[in-house]
Amino acid sequence: MPWEPLSEEQREIRELVRTLARERIAPRAAEIDHTAEFPHDLARLLGEQGILGIGFEEEYGGLGAGALMLLVAIEEIAKACATTSLILAVQELGSLGLKLAGGDEQKERYLPRFASGEWLPAYALTESGSGSDSAAMRTTARREGDEYVLDGSKRFITNAGVANLYTVFAKTDPEAGHDGISAFVVEADTPGFAVARLEPKMGISGSTTGELTFDGCRIPASNLLGEEGEGFRIAMRILDRSRPGVAAQALGIAQGATDYALEYAKTRETMGKPIGQHQLIQAKLADMETECEAARGLLYRFGRMADEGVEEAELTKASAMAKLKCGDVAMAVTTDAVQILGGYGYIKEYPVERFMRDAKITQIYEGTQEIQRLVIAREMLRESRAFLLAGVG
């Protein structure tokens, strides 16, 4: 019997998600990719089945199942459809600002809507001129009495046009760099807010990615998350906890491609025998499965750390490592899956070409792989310095 890292309750939830993914989501995956339309029906399904509530506490109507369970659920859905898995991942990403920095009234107002699936959230940090460099953002928020007035734009925002609430970062002090950034929640029907365009993409086609504009957008001062000037720290805390959601998506894509390539190799024959009996194909399959399992170890390790409440500094490194490994594994494994299927792997009749296109974004969004390496190295140096200082003391 294989080793099982999950509890009995977690395995039951995983089986529910796995069954839904196999029976309800997988049959829709190719159509979603072809039409590039947001799967509202599957978003409703995830809400009705309580899956969107996995990452929310029971007091807000969620399951309170914890970080590890959320990652497992994203992974299982991504095996069938990366676009649909992103709905669950962004339900966490877009609500983390409220969870980490929101006041009681803000949480009570919005979190139950997210837990039930009634509302979808979004996270709006990136701009056309400020991706990895958040301090270069140009969106501003000016205090006027009991309101803030937002002006500017955001780019590459997931759930643009379908989200009901956006966590938006803007400069309240344009001269203060990172310390001048603040965080706000903006409801989608706020005057002065608009979705300017949606982007056609290589992969995750059914997930909307768009540009947001703020033109004299007035929001109540009570929509501020935390205090003025805390926005950058809030954004980084959010990313530390949300990047593993992308890692889980990447792992699901990789495992889905591996599973499909294995089944294909068992039935496709060349030279009088299934290609799975050829040593070169066996070597690819072995490497693919091993890489998936290695990535899963880092991902689940982060989930357990988050559930056990370890210090934020430790989560930063674990999060970056999980995202880095899973994203790179997804790209490598899906490329091998296409190779195993040969010409069939390159045509849309078979899902591995979609897996390969979907995999690429996991090396880019929520922090590129280059940024993850910088984060990991920075944390290594910080840990080493702390160790040396402790020794001196």
PDB file of all heavy atoms in Angstrom, residues 206-230:
ATOM      1  N   GLY A 206      -9.692  29.823 -20.853  1.00  0.00           N
ATOM      2  CA  GLY A 206     -10.999  30.166 -20.317  1.00  0.00           C
ATOM      3  C   GLY A 206     -10.949  31.060 -19.094  1.00  0.00           C
ATOM      4  O   GLY A 206     -11.988  31.538 -18.630  1.00  0.00           O
ATOM      5  N   SER A 207      -9.757  31.302 -18.562  1.00  0.00           N
ATOM      6  CA  SER A 207      -9.602  32.210 -17.435  1.00  0.00           C
ATOM      7  C   SER A 207      -9.406  33.619 -17.975  1.00  0.00           C
ATOM      8  O   SER A 207      -8.553  33.842 -18.836  1.00  0.00           O
ATOM      9  CB  SER A 207      -8.392  31.810 -16.581  1.00  0.00           C
ATOM     10  OG  SER A 207      -8.142  32.759 -15.570  1.00  0.00           O
ATOM     11  N   THR A 208     -10.201  34.565 -17.501  1.00  0.00           N
ATOM     12  CA  THR A 208     -10.067  35.931 -18.003  1.00  0.00           C
ATOM     13  C   THR A 208      -8.831  36.600 -17.425  1.00  0.00           C
ATOM     14  O   THR A 208      -8.538  36.493 -16.238  1.00  0.00           O
ATOM     15  CB  THR A 208     -11.304  36.776 -17.650  1.00  0.00           C
ATOM     16  OG1 THR A 208     -11.450  36.850 -16.234  1.00  0.00           O
ATOM     17  CG2 THR A 208     -12.569  36.176 -18.260  1.00  0.00           C
ATOM     18  N   THR A 209      -8.088  37.273 -18.292  1.00  0.00           N
ATOM     19  CA  THR A 209      -6.920  38.048 -17.890  1.00  0.00           C
ATOM     20  C   THR A 209      -7.069  39.413 -18.535  1.00  0.00           C
ATOM     21  O   THR A 209      -7.163  39.504 -19.768  1.00  0.00           O
ATOM     22  CB  THR A 209      -5.619  37.385 -18.383  1.00  0.00           C
ATOM     23  OG1 THR A 209      -5.547  36.052 -17.868  1.00  0.00           O
ATOM     24  CG2 THR A 209      -4.398  38.181 -17.932  1.00  0.00           C
ATOM     25  N   GLY A 210      -7.129  40.480 -17.746  1.00  0.00           N
ATOM     26  CA  GLY A 210      -7.476  41.751 -18.344  1.00  0.00           C
ATOM     27  C   GLY A 210      -6.802  42.959 -17.741  1.00  0.00           C
ATOM     28  O   GLY A 210      -6.052  42.882 -16.757  1.00  0.00           O
ATOM     29  N   GLU A 211      -7.102  44.088 -18.351  1.00  0.00           N
ATOM     30  CA  GLU A 211      -6.600  45.380 -17.902  1.00  0.00           C
ATOM     31  C   GLU A 211      -7.727  46.122 -17.179  1.00  0.00           C
ATOM     32  O   GLU A 211      -8.853  46.205 -17.680  1.00  0.00           O
ATOM     33  CB  GLU A 211      -6.126  46.211 -19.089  1.00  0.00           C
ATOM     34  CG  GLU A 211      -5.575  47.578 -18.699  1.00  0.00           C
ATOM     35  CD  GLU A 211      -5.087  48.379 -19.889  1.00  0.00           C
ATOM     36  OE1 GLU A 211      -5.172  47.867 -21.033  1.00  0.00           O
ATOM     37  OE2 GLU A 211      -4.630  49.518 -19.678  1.00  0.00           O
ATOM     38  N   LEU A 212      -7.411  46.660 -16.009  1.00  0.00           N
ATOM     39  CA  LEU A 212      -8.369  47.428 -15.213  1.00  0.00           C
ATOM     40  C   LEU A 212      -7.996  48.908 -15.278  1.00  0.00           C
ATOM     41  O   LEU A 212      -6.812  49.249 -15.296  1.00  0.00           O
ATOM     42  CB  LEU A 212      -8.347  46.975 -13.750  1.00  0.00           C
ATOM     43  CG  LEU A 212      -8.353  45.478 -13.453  1.00  0.00           C
ATOM     44  CD1 LEU A 212      -8.292  45.247 -11.940  1.00  0.00           C
ATOM     45  CD2 LEU A 212      -9.569  44.803 -14.055  1.00  0.00           C
ATOM     46  N   THR A 213      -9.003  49.761 -15.292  1.00  0.00           N
ATOM     47  CA  THR A 213      -8.736  51.199 -15.243  1.00  0.00           C
ATOM     48  C   THR A 213      -9.505  51.837 -14.092  1.00  0.00           C
ATOM     49  O   THR A 213     -10.620  51.423 -13.760  1.00  0.00           O
ATOM     50  CB  THR A 213      -9.131  51.890 -16.560  1.00  0.00           C
ATOM     51  OG1 THR A 213     -10.529  51.704 -16.809  1.00  0.00           O
ATOM     52  CG2 THR A 213      -8.324  51.346 -17.723  1.00  0.00           C
ATOM     53  N   PHE A 214      -8.887  52.850 -13.500  1.00  0.00           N
ATOM     54  CA  PHE A 214      -9.487  53.611 -12.404  1.00  0.00           C
ATOM     55  C   PHE A 214      -9.416  55.084 -12.803  1.00  0.00           C
ATOM     56  O   PHE A 214      -8.327  55.641 -12.941  1.00  0.00           O
ATOM     57  CB  PHE A 214      -8.725  53.368 -11.107  1.00  0.00           C
ATOM     58  CG  PHE A 214      -8.636  51.914 -10.729  1.00  0.00           C
ATOM     59  CD1 PHE A 214      -7.597  51.125 -11.223  1.00  0.00           C
ATOM     60  CD2 PHE A 214      -9.587  51.334  -9.908  1.00  0.00           C
ATOM     61  CE1 PHE A 214      -7.509  49.786 -10.896  1.00  0.00           C
ATOM     62  CE2 PHE A 214      -9.507  49.990  -9.577  1.00  0.00           C
ATOM     63  CZ  PHE A 214      -8.467  49.212 -10.071  1.00  0.00           C
ATOM     64  N   ASP A 215     -10.568  55.694 -13.020  1.00  0.00           N
ATOM     65  CA  ASP A 215     -10.642  57.070 -13.466  1.00  0.00           C
ATOM     66  C   ASP A 215     -11.522  57.858 -12.499  1.00  0.00           C
ATOM     67  O   ASP A 215     -12.738  57.878 -12.608  1.00  0.00           O
ATOM     68  CB  ASP A 215     -11.228  57.132 -14.888  1.00  0.00           C
ATOM     69  CG  ASP A 215     -11.238  58.543 -15.458  1.00  0.00           C
ATOM     70  OD1 ASP A 215     -10.678  59.454 -14.814  1.00  0.00           O
ATOM     71  OD2 ASP A 215     -11.825  58.730 -16.544  1.00  0.00           O
ATOM     72  N   GLY A 216     -10.886  58.483 -11.502  1.00  0.00           N
ATOM     73  CA  GLY A 216     -11.648  59.166 -10.466  1.00  0.00           C
ATOM     74  C   GLY A 216     -12.556  58.208  -9.714  1.00  0.00           C
ATOM     75  O   GLY A 216     -13.669  58.561  -9.339  1.00  0.00           O
ATOM     76  N   CYS A 217     -12.050  57.000  -9.483  1.00  0.00           N
ATOM     77  CA  CYS A 217     -12.831  55.934  -8.836  1.00  0.00           C
ATOM     78  C   CYS A 217     -12.886  56.195  -7.326  1.00  0.00           C
ATOM     79  O   CYS A 217     -11.877  56.083  -6.634  1.00  0.00           O
ATOM     80  CB  CYS A 217     -12.201  54.587  -9.142  1.00  0.00           C
ATOM     81  SG  CYS A 217     -12.999  53.182  -8.353  1.00  0.00           S
ATOM     82  N   ARG A 218     -14.070  56.511  -6.829  1.00  0.00           N
ATOM     83  CA  ARG A 218     -14.232  56.854  -5.417  1.00  0.00           C
ATOM     84  C   ARG A 218     -14.718  55.650  -4.615  1.00  0.00           C
ATOM     85  O   ARG A 218     -15.724  55.031  -4.966  1.00  0.00           O
ATOM     86  CB  ARG A 218     -15.224  58.009  -5.261  1.00  0.00           C
ATOM     87  CG  ARG A 218     -14.703  59.328  -5.797  1.00  0.00           C
ATOM     88  CD  ARG A 218     -15.691  60.462  -5.591  1.00  0.00           C
ATOM     89  NE  ARG A 218     -15.105  61.733  -6.010  1.00  0.00           N
ATOM     90  CZ  ARG A 218     -14.380  62.520  -5.228  1.00  0.00           C
ATOM     91  NH1 ARG A 218     -14.191  62.183  -3.961  1.00  0.00           N
ATOM     92  NH2 ARG A 218     -13.866  63.646  -5.685  1.00  0.00           N
ATOM     93  N   ILE A 219     -13.976  55.353  -3.562  1.00  0.00           N
ATOM     94  CA  ILE A 219     -14.358  54.266  -2.665  1.00  0.00           C
ATOM     95  C   ILE A 219     -14.383  54.789  -1.236  1.00  0.00           C
ATOM     96  O   ILE A 219     -13.677  55.749  -0.904  1.00  0.00           O
ATOM     97  CB  ILE A 219     -13.380  53.072  -2.774  1.00  0.00           C
ATOM     98  CG1 ILE A 219     -11.956  53.509  -2.420  1.00  0.00           C
ATOM     99  CG2 ILE A 219     -13.439  52.446  -4.165  1.00  0.00           C
ATOM    100  CD1 ILE A 219     -10.969  52.362  -2.330  1.00  0.00           C
ATOM    101  N   PRO A 220     -15.188  54.188  -0.374  1.00  0.00           N
ATOM    102  CA  PRO A 220     -15.193  54.621   1.034  1.00  0.00           C
ATOM    103  C   PRO A 220     -13.819  54.427   1.677  1.00  0.00           C
ATOM    104  O   PRO A 220     -13.109  53.463   1.356  1.00  0.00           O
ATOM    105  CB  PRO A 220     -16.232  53.697   1.676  1.00  0.00           C
ATOM    106  CG  PRO A 220     -17.069  53.187   0.551  1.00  0.00           C
ATOM    107  CD  PRO A 220     -16.153  53.105  -0.631  1.00  0.00           C
ATOM    108  N   ALA A 221     -13.461  55.325   2.565  1.00  0.00           N
ATOM    109  CA  ALA A 221     -12.182  55.187   3.274  1.00  0.00           C
ATOM    110  C   ALA A 221     -12.124  53.878   4.058  1.00  0.00           C
ATOM    111  O   ALA A 221     -11.044  53.338   4.302  1.00  0.00           O
ATOM    112  CB  ALA A 221     -11.972  56.374   4.206  1.00  0.00           C
ATOM    113  N   SER A 222     -13.282  53.329   4.407  1.00  0.00           N
ATOM    114  CA  SER A 222     -13.351  52.061   5.140  1.00  0.00           C
ATOM    115  C   SER A 222     -12.925  50.874   4.280  1.00  0.00           C
ATOM    116  O   SER A 222     -12.784  49.762   4.786  1.00  0.00           O
ATOM    117  CB  SER A 222     -14.765  51.832   5.669  1.00  0.00           C
ATOM    118  OG  SER A 222     -15.704  51.807   4.600  1.00  0.00           O
ATOM    119  N   ASN A 223     -12.714  51.089   2.969  1.00  0.00           N
ATOM    120  CA  ASN A 223     -12.252  50.015   2.087  1.00  0.00           C
ATOM    121  C   ASN A 223     -10.740  49.826   2.136  1.00  0.00           C
ATOM    122  O   ASN A 223     -10.205  48.946   1.471  1.00  0.00           O
ATOM    123  CB  ASN A 223     -12.676  50.294   0.642  1.00  0.00           C
ATOM    124  CG  ASN A 223     -14.137  49.990   0.396  1.00  0.00           C
ATOM    125  OD1 ASN A 223     -14.947  50.012   1.319  1.00  0.00           O
ATOM    126  ND2 ASN A 223     -14.497  49.720  -0.845  1.00  0.00           N
ATOM    127  N   LEU A 224     -10.049  50.661   2.913  1.00  0.00           N
ATOM    128  CA  LEU A 224      -8.612  50.489   3.108  1.00  0.00           C
ATOM    129  C   LEU A 224      -8.356  49.215   3.902  1.00  0.00           C
ATOM    130  O   LEU A 224      -9.010  48.955   4.917  1.00  0.00           O
ATOM    131  CB  LEU A 224      -8.045  51.690   3.865  1.00  0.00           C
ATOM    132  CG  LEU A 224      -6.569  51.642   4.267  1.00  0.00           C
ATOM    133  CD1 LEU A 224      -5.672  51.765   3.040  1.00  0.00           C
ATOM    134  CD2 LEU A 224      -6.259  52.758   5.273  1.00  0.00           C
ATOM    135  N   LEU A 225      -7.394  48.407   3.448  1.00  0.00           N
ATOM    136  CA  LEU A 225      -6.983  47.210   4.185  1.00  0.00           C
ATOM    137  C   LEU A 225      -5.773  47.547   5.044  1.00  0.00           C
ATOM    138  O   LEU A 225      -4.758  48.023   4.511  1.00  0.00           O
ATOM    139  CB  LEU A 225      -6.628  46.070   3.216  1.00  0.00           C
ATOM    140  CG  LEU A 225      -7.774  45.445   2.420  1.00  0.00           C
ATOM    141  CD1 LEU A 225      -7.235  44.421   1.435  1.00  0.00           C
ATOM    142  CD2 LEU A 225      -8.795  44.802   3.355  1.00  0.00           C
ATOM    143  N   GLY A 226      -5.886  47.323   6.332  1.00  0.00           N
ATOM    144  CA  GLY A 226      -4.800  47.680   7.228  1.00  0.00           C
ATOM    145  C   GLY A 226      -4.660  49.184   7.317  1.00  0.00           C
ATOM    146  O   GLY A 226      -5.647  49.919   7.313  1.00  0.00           O
ATOM    147  N   GLU A 227      -3.398  49.651   7.366  1.00  0.00           N
ATOM    148  CA  GLU A 227      -3.117  51.079   7.455  1.00  0.00           C
ATOM    149  C   GLU A 227      -2.468  51.572   6.170  1.00  0.00           C
ATOM    150  O   GLU A 227      -1.945  50.793   5.380  1.00  0.00           O
ATOM    151  CB  GLU A 227      -2.167  51.345   8.639  1.00  0.00           C
ATOM    152  CG  GLU A 227      -2.678  50.870   9.980  1.00  0.00           C
ATOM    153  CD  GLU A 227      -3.897  51.650  10.457  1.00  0.00           C
ATOM    154  OE1 GLU A 227      -4.024  52.843  10.054  1.00  0.00           O
ATOM    155  OE2 GLU A 227      -4.716  51.092  11.216  1.00  0.00           O
ATOM    156  N   GLU A 228      -2.508  52.882   5.971  1.00  0.00           N
ATOM    157  CA  GLU A 228      -1.792  53.455   4.831  1.00  0.00           C
ATOM    158  C   GLU A 228      -0.306  53.096   4.920  1.00  0.00           C
ATOM    159  O   GLU A 228       0.281  53.100   5.992  1.00  0.00           O
ATOM    160  CB  GLU A 228      -1.942  54.982   4.803  1.00  0.00           C
ATOM    161  CG  GLU A 228      -3.248  55.466   4.226  1.00  0.00           C
ATOM    162  CD  GLU A 228      -3.206  56.957   3.869  1.00  0.00           C
ATOM    163  OE1 GLU A 228      -2.091  57.530   3.835  1.00  0.00           O
ATOM    164  OE2 GLU A 228      -4.279  57.541   3.626  1.00  0.00           O
ATOM    165  N   GLY A 229       0.270  52.778   3.774  1.00  0.00           N
ATOM    166  CA  GLY A 229       1.687  52.446   3.720  1.00  0.00           C
ATOM    167  C   GLY A 229       2.002  50.988   3.988  1.00  0.00           C
ATOM    168  O   GLY A 229       3.160  50.576   3.869  1.00  0.00           O
ATOM    169  N   GLU A 230       0.997  50.189   4.340  1.00  0.00           N
ATOM    170  CA  GLU A 230       1.233  48.770   4.615  1.00  0.00           C
ATOM    171  C   GLU A 230       0.997  47.889   3.398  1.00  0.00           C
ATOM    172  O   GLU A 230       1.154  46.676   3.465  1.00  0.00           O
ATOM    173  CB  GLU A 230       0.320  48.294   5.755  1.00  0.00           C
ATOM    174  CG  GLU A 230       0.657  48.868   7.106  1.00  0.00           C
ATOM    175  CD  GLU A 230      -0.209  48.312   8.220  1.00  0.00           C
ATOM    176  OE1 GLU A 230      -1.232  47.646   7.916  1.00  0.00           O
ATOM    177  OE2 GLU A 230       0.130  48.547   9.390  1.00  0.00           O
TER     178      GLU A 230
END
